[in-house]
Amino acid sequence: MVTNIDGKTLQKMFLAGAKNLEAKKEWINELNVFPVPDGDTGTNMTLTIMSAAKEVGAIEKPTMENLSKAISSGSLRGARGNSGVIMSQLFRGFTKEIKQFDTIDAVIFANACDRAVETAYKAVMKPKEGTILTVAKGMAEKAREMVMNTDDLEVIFPEVLKEGDYVLGKTPDMLPVLKQAGVVDSGGQGLMQVLKGAYDAFLGKELDLSIEGTTGSAVSFKADASDSADIKFGYCTEFIIMLENEFTDDKEYEFKDYLQGIGDCVVVVSDDDIVKVHVHTNDPGLAIQKALTYGALSKMKIDNMREEHNEKLIKDAEKATKTDIENEVKEEQPRKDTGFIAVSIGEGLDEIFKGLGVDYLITGGQTMNPSTEDMLNAIEHVNADNIYILPNNKNIILAAEQAKSLTKDKNIIVLPTKTIPQGITAIINFVPNKSVEENVSAMTEEIGRVKTGQVTYAVRDTSIDGKEIHENDIMGIGDSGILSVGADIDMTTLDMVSQMIDEDSEILSIYYGNEVSEDKADELASKIEELYPDIDIEVNMGGQPIYYYVISVE
């Protein structure tokens, strides 16, 4: 009989849950409803929990308080994709409940489960049943029911997991799209793998709980690609401040100003009782001395960038954070009224967004959803009072909203752009002399006029949207489902386009991917022009992976 869990046990359980999810991530990726080659739920959830696991694994003397901070802060900032953001909110609610206690008993566990579900549901604007939220809610209700009859966690945990599996198995009945695809909800399955791994640790099974990268801050930057002689500040300095007193906005501004005076590439991210710091400077000691006035330091890391550049060892930048060249740190510019951040993928699309005035590009999209911390880093680098974020993918909007909620000194506007063409249309319709409210209204309205189609190939056999799909078939995917299926790229694209065009259509834009030549794209444009002579057709090099064509109709 076990009636309490202490900090050491909870630490093992969390790390075991993270490792189990990591081991199952590809399987979870394959539960993607559409059989496209970019299923990423498992990857997103793994990156989210591993962000927290690195901090949890570094704690030498675990308590409910320091574990709660590590789990909440790490997952919150590392959250990627809708499922990752929701999981981070589940962790956030759970840890808010347990952090005040020395151990977790049955009642505290049930209360924490309730609070986790409440927090996660509040974070989603329009909660949908048949998802990870439903699975979590079912387990919380079961935990509440169980504690009425027993305080034995050895009895409660397996019953809660059994209920989670049962609810997960019912998700196809709640979401018809899951039933069509013959899969359960991938986010719910990811959550179950975390909890099953945690349960194995609770049972005392021998597990590998080592987490790679448990030293060093989670904040990481790509070094300047120019010659080492051009590196103005030679030491990349990172650390975490364990605050002794309240870190007010005034103190944060003062600290940032100080760091700007001794270096560049400054990022200061505060959360509860910790502050993550990154700066490039020629005198790391000055940054450290100033930081010590706010509290004790941990996870200190100082790299000689000139030496590393010469030895070609700088390989540890977070791949989804920024494009290779355009997001290099620039000299501080005077603060302006409006700035733009866009998520983009592909050399041609990057150039389009730059030409439209985007200040900061985050590399990401279908194949790799950027994290909340990636968004925070971008926000830090855009020196503007009002910053518009264009997620350009429905699975990135929640991470952007989470970054908005963590930003105090700038007005962040997250436009709900779900595709690259919507993002392009949004920024085209921005009018500098209009108010934020007027621009948001106009840009959102124009986004609603854009139809997007994307052409890729199928990675498995399935039946969805009334269409039989076989592995390696070409698919044309519209805003609300699969529009066309075939064996030929051009024919499938033309079929998709025929369903996107109506009597009000005026402009069709083609963005061709990195596997399509300009000549092939021009040939496709000519075929479309023959069929629809009254529509203006534009051809652009997108350079995106995975998708042969991204096409918009307005």
Side-chain angles (χ1 to χ4, degrees):
M1 182 172 180
V2 178
T3 57
N4 288 276
I5 292 174
D6 60 13
K8 193 67 178 176
T9 302
L10 181 62
Q11 183 185 45
K12 290 179 180 178
M13 291 174 69
F14 186 82
L15 295 177
K19 294 283 281 189
N20 193 50
L21 176 60
E22 183 181 42
K24 305 288 178 56
K25 66 180 179 183
E26 291 304 328
W27 170 53
I28 294 168
N29 283 341
E30 292 173 3
L31 295 176
N32 196 22
V33 170
F34 291 147
V36 292
D38 62 4
D40 52 10
T41 299
T43 300
N44 283 337
M45 295 184 76
T46 297
L47 290 170
T48 299
I49 199 171
M50 282 301 173
S51 176
K54 289 175 184 178
E55 297 189 24
V56 170
I59 297 175
E60 294 182 3
K61 295 180 180 180
T63 64
M64 292 302 162
E65 184 176 7
N66 61 25
L67 285 173
S68 293
K69 290 177 183 176
I71 292 170
S72 179
S73 176
S75 62
L76 198 68
R77 297 177 183 282
R80 299 174 188 267
N82 292 342
S83 52
V85 172
I86 292 171
M87 183 171 68
S88 75
Q89 292 295 325
L90 288 169
F91 290 154
R92 184 185 184 195
F94 190 92
T95 55
K96 276 186 177 180
E97 188 66 30
I98 67 170
K99 67 181 181 181
Q100 57 190 309
F101 302 103
D102 294 327
T103 61
I104 301 174
D105 62 19
V107 173
I108 294 170
F109 172 70
N111 290 341
C113 287
D114 285 339
R115 191 160 183 179
V117 171
E118 179 185 357
T119 302
Y121 266 86
K122 284 182 179 178
V124 181
M125 188 172 296
K126 295 180 180 179
K128 186 181 294 185
E129 299 303 333
T131 65
I132 181 175
L133 291 169
T134 311
V135 175
K137 182 171 66 174
M139 287 189 286
E141 291 172 350
K142 189 66 176 181
R144 175 63 55 201
E145 175 189 324
M146 292 295 297
V147 297
M148 303 298 291
N149 302 310
T150 180
D151 60 355
D152 187 354
L153 296 175
E154 287 184 315
V155 174
I156 293 171
F157 285 168
E159 288 301 312
V160 169
L161 288 176
K162 183 179 177 181
E163 181 67 15
D165 278 335
Y166 171 77
V167 176
L168 179 64
K170 300 293 287 183
T171 55
D173 295 330
M174 303 177 207
L175 281 178
V177 69
L178 294 176
K179 178 165 282 189
Q180 283 188 51
V183 296
V184 296
D185 178 67
S186 54
Q189 185 66 270
L191 178 62
M192 292 308 303
Q193 298 314 307
V194 172
L195 299 180
K196 287 177 179 179
Y199 183 57
D200 284 341
F202 171 78
L203 294 175
K205 294 183 180 181
E206 290 191 16
L207 304 166
D208 175 16
L209 301 182
S210 61
I211 302 293
E212 292 184 11
T214 53
T215 59
S217 166
V219 182
S220 180
F221 288 85
K222 185 154 188 170
D224 195 318
S226 62
D227 186 84
S228 60
D230 295 331
I231 297 176
K232 185 177 180 181
F233 298 102
Y235 293 95
C236 176
T237 306
E238 303 175 56
F239 50 81
I240 289 179
I241 307 173
M242 313 301 290
L243 294 172
E244 295 175 356
N245 298 299
E246 183 183 2
F247 196 62
T248 63
D249 289 345
D250 288 343
K251 288 182 179 179
E252 183 173 342
Y253 299 148
E254 176 199 16
F255 188 40
K256 286 180 180 177
D257 287 342
Y258 178 82
L259 294 178
Q260 290 285 4
I262 63 169
D264 64 8
C265 200
V266 174
V267 173
V268 177
V269 180
S270 60
D271 182 56
D272 292 333
D273 296 329
I274 67 170
V275 179
K276 293 183 180 181
V277 180
H278 174 282
V279 61
H280 290 177
T281 179
N282 286 327
D283 195 338
L286 292 176
I288 290 169
Q289 288 174 22
K290 182 67 173 179
L292 284 170
T293 64
Y294 302 110
L297 306 187
S298 70
K299 294 187 179 180
M300 299 176 65
K301 183 171 174 280
I302 300 174
D303 293 326
N304 185 328
M305 295 189 295
R306 295 186 181 97
E307 179 182 331
E308 288 186 343
H309 179 90
N310 291 336
E311 295 176 358
K312 299 188 184 299
L313 294 178
I314 301 175
K315 299 179 180 178
D316 59 353
E318 294 183 5
K319 293 181 181 179
T321 307
K322 52 185 80 69
T323 55
D324 285 343
I325 297 175
E326 292 307 316
N327 293 337
E328 291 173 2
V329 178
K330 299 180 174 65
E331 292 184 12
E332 187 75 9
Q333 298 293 321
R335 195 172 181 98
K336 56 183 180 178
D337 180 71
T338 303
F340 290 91
I341 296 168
V343 178
S344 176
I345 187 164
E347 180 183 351
L349 295 172
D350 292 350
E351 289 298 322
I352 291 170
F353 278 118
K354 286 184 297 182
L356 292 171
V358 169
D359 298 273
Y360 196 102
L361 291 171
I362 302 176
T363 299
Q366 292 295 96
T367 52
M368 174 60 73
N369 295 157
S371 68
T372 297
E373 188 156 28
D374 293 332
M375 297 284 181
L376 289 170
N377 288 340
I379 291 168
E380 182 67 28
H381 281 76
V382 178
N383 192 22
D385 293 324
N386 302 292
I387 300 174
Y388 293 82
I389 298 181
L390 308 172
N392 300 335
N393 185 299
K394 66 180 180 181
N395 209 32
I396 300 175
I397 294 173
L398 270 184
E401 290 285 0
Q402 191 151 278
K404 173 182 177 178
S405 70
L406 294 171
T407 302
K408 302 173 184 176
D409 60 339
K410 298 173 181 176
N411 179 34
I412 307 301
I413 306 101
V414 179
L415 288 167
T417 54
K418 297 179 180 179
T419 65
I420 290 286
Q422 286 188 351
I424 291 171
T425 294
I427 195 168
I428 286 174
N429 283 278
F430 172 78
V431 180
N433 60 359
K434 286 188 176 181
S435 68
V436 170
E437 293 74 17
E438 289 173 322
N439 270 309
V440 169
S441 177
M443 294 161 82
T444 303
E445 182 179 350
E446 291 303 320
I447 288 169
R449 302 181 192 276
V450 180
K451 299 177 185 177
T452 303
Q454 303 177 86
V455 181
T456 187
Y457 60 94
V459 295
R460 57 179 166 83
D461 295 349
T462 190
S463 176
I464 191 168
D465 293 338
K467 296 176 174 62
E468 288 293 327
I469 300 169
H470 302 286
E471 185 177 353
N472 294 322
D473 277 352
I474 305 301
M475 301 179 298
I477 305 172
D479 293 319
S480 58
I482 296 176
L483 300 178
S484 61
V485 178
D488 179 79
I489 295 175
D490 278 10
M491 293 301 294
T492 305
T493 304
L494 291 171
D495 186 8
M496 179 188 75
V497 167
S498 71
Q499 299 178 62
M500 297 171 63
I501 288 178
D502 58 29
E503 59 185 15
D504 296 323
S505 302
E506 297 177 351
I507 301 172
L508 184 145
S509 299
I510 299 172
Y511 304 91
Y512 60 93
N514 61 7
E515 294 185 33
V516 178
S517 68
E518 183 177 0
D519 288 343
K520 287 293 293 181
D522 286 339
E523 286 178 20
L524 175 66
S526 295
K527 293 175 183 178
I528 296 174
E529 191 171 16
E530 287 180 14
L531 294 169
Y532 309 99
D534 295 331
I535 292 180
D536 291 331
I537 298 174
E538 300 176 351
V539 179
N540 305 278
M541 193 277 280
Q544 70 274 4
I546 305 296
Y547 291 87
Y548 303 115
Y549 294 108
V550 173
I551 292 179
S552 68
V553 175
E554 301 177 59

